[in-house]
Amino acid sequence: MAGEVQKIAKMLGDESAEKRHAAAVVLGELKAKGPEVYKGLRGLLTSEIPALEAAGARALERIGAKKALPDLFPLLTSRDRGVQSAATAAILSCGEAVVTPVQKRYEDAGADEKRALDTILAELGGKDAYGTLLDGLLLDPDHAREAALKARHHLKDASATERRSYRSQIEKFIKRKDTQAQPHSLAAAVKILAYLEDTK
């Protein structure tokens, strides 16, 4: 089987885009691993061919995408919706392990990428992810409004325990001096608090 995987992995460098695409699909289905597999799939992510970028991201979602995060993040702002969606799913597949890389990426990201990262943080949930999402409310008013809406989407499916934890985080965020100093941040945080629909 290992020999077959190596043969397929070699196809990821073929001149034919069709063969590279087919190889990515098969390797993803097999959940094949190995240095040559990761190298080939990461090569697809930087191919600048949307169909190959999406195929590479989808394969990594199944195989393990953590090693490929540096190549996946730029695809979040692709002009192709399919590429954006595949990259988002691949990054989300890393679970909570992706929070720290997202935090680091957030520091230098442009406005479009920050919005995409907010989506990832909202979908991930959890204390660390939500804390980073709340920090994003301190950015410009437009960004704060969008981040609040993404938070709302996630809160719909949150458990009672998660809601209590989020309420505590948001209440602390509202009391911060930097939040109080920016009306748009305060307004967005209050909206999220309302989305929790907690009578307290």
Side-chain angles (χ1 to χ4, degrees):
M1 187 67 166
E4 292 300 316
V5 167
Q6 287 183 340
K7 286 180 183 177
I8 299 169
K10 282 182 180 179
M11 290 173 61
L12 293 171
D14 198 277
E15 291 182 5
S16 166
E18 288 80 5
K19 287 184 180 180
R20 280 183 280 168
H21 187 280
V25 172
V26 172
L27 291 168
E29 288 297 320
L30 293 174
K31 296 185 180 178
K33 298 183 184 288
E36 67 283 355
V37 174
Y38 284 111
K39 182 180 178 182
L41 291 174
R42 290 185 71 173
L44 296 188
L45 300 180
T46 56
S47 66
E48 298 186 2
I49 301 172
L52 294 182
E53 291 171 342
R58 284 193 290 268
L60 285 163
E61 179 188 358
R62 295 177 64 84
I63 294 168
K66 192 174 179 181
K67 294 178 184 177
L69 287 174
D71 297 314
L72 285 165
F73 282 134
L75 299 183
L76 293 174
T77 54
S78 169
R79 293 181 180 179
D80 187 285
R81 290 290 180 88
V83 173
Q84 288 179 21
S85 178
T88 299
I91 293 169
L92 281 169
S93 72
C94 298
E96 291 186 2
V98 83
V99 174
T100 298
V102 166
Q103 288 172 332
K104 290 178 180 177
R105 183 80 185 184
Y106 208 90
E107 293 173 8
D108 300 314
D112 288 343
E113 188 173 350
K114 280 180 178 172
R115 282 191 284 271
L117 294 173
D118 283 341
T119 298
I120 289 168
L121 292 168
E123 287 294 324
L124 278 174
K127 185 176 180 180
D128 292 339
Y130 233 71
T132 304
L133 182 65
L134 288 176
D135 285 338
L137 301 181
L138 296 170
L139 300 174
D140 62 90
D142 288 340
H143 185 94
R145 278 194 296 272
E146 289 184 28
L149 288 172
K150 285 172 182 173
R152 181 185 190 182
H153 176 74
H154 174 73
L155 290 172
K156 286 180 179 178
D157 300 319
S159 67
T161 302
E162 287 175 320
R163 284 171 177 263
R164 284 194 296 271
S165 174
Y166 294 151
R167 190 188 75 199
S168 176
Q169 278 184 278
I170 294 165
E171 287 174 344
K172 287 176 183 176
F173 179 81
I174 287 172
K175 292 174 183 176
R176 282 169 46 174
K177 288 183 180 179
D178 50 356
T179 305
Q180 294 284 333
Q182 300 189 63
H184 69 268
S185 303
L186 186 59
V190 170
K191 277 185 182 179
I192 294 175
L193 193 59
Y195 295 152
L196 286 169
E197 297 178 353
D198 190 323
T199 54
K200 292 181 182 179

